[in-house]
Amino acid sequence: MALSSDLDGALARARMLFAMLAAPTLRAGLGARLTGSAVDEDPGVRGPLSALDWLDAEGRIDLDTVRATAESLGFLRSDQVLLEVGRLEELPVDIEESREVSCRIVRTVFERVGPGRRLGEPELNAALAMFTANVPVVRRDAVDAGVLARTADGGSYWLAADQ
């Protein structure tokens, strides 16, 4: 169906649009451009607005791009998105951000296999590998954060809340 690059582009457009809507001068500039009254735009507004690949300087909208973006964003909310979006190849460099992502991955795994289950290390590794290329770091981050508990020998893992 949709390709990951289409999804990346749709997310980039949505993030950019919402960031502009959050800034009063950019919001006003966007409104002026959309209504065709953006003749004397401030360079600080014109620059960011020029990054919108679906809106030209005269206020004309590329409807094909807008429709494709809307379709991709809708796809992201479907259950089919798991078949398109790949796993994380890299974790954030920041330790706290890495732990946050790792814990979310572990919680997602246990939501799917059942929160009360205990998983052997090979079983847990296989489940984590569906989400990340860096299985040992995710497992260790989740243990260090107290989200994932394990036996002393590391042979069995479970959500810490389920002890």
Side-chain angles (χ1 to χ4, degrees), residues 54-149:
W54 53 271
L55 180 65
D56 71 13
E58 287 75 39
R60 290 184 299 258
I61 296 173
D62 178 346
L63 290 176
D64 290 338
T65 300
V66 170
R67 285 184 186 116
T69 299
E71 184 179 315
S72 292
L73 292 172
F75 179 73
L76 285 170
R77 298 200 64 218
S78 75
D79 58 355
Q80 297 298 308
V81 73
L82 289 174
L83 301 175
E84 282 296 324
V85 177
R87 66 189 186 152
L88 294 173
E89 294 300 321
E90 296 179 19
L91 292 169
V93 175
D94 180 78
I95 293 171
E96 289 305 314
E97 289 178 28
S98 177
R99 277 201 181 140
E100 185 177 322
V101 170
S102 295
C103 291
R104 181 63 188 129
I105 291 170
V106 166
R107 285 184 187 107
T108 300
V109 164
F110 279 92
E111 284 170 10
R112 294 183 181 179
V113 300
R117 289 204 42 206
R118 285 182 176 244
L119 300 177
E121 186 175 3
E123 191 178 19
L124 177 62
N125 289 347
L128 293 174
M130 300 289 291
F131 296 95
T132 182
N134 207 335
V135 170
V137 170
V138 168
R139 196 180 57 237
R140 185 173 41 253
D141 279 353
V143 169
D144 290 348
V147 170
L148 190 61

Side-chain angles (χ1 to χ4, degrees), residues 2-24:
L3 300 173
S4 292
S5 62
D6 295 338
L7 298 176
D8 289 342
L11 283 174
R13 284 185 199 95
R15 280 193 304 264
M16 190 181 311
L17 177 60
F18 279 88
M20 288 181 183
L21 291 173

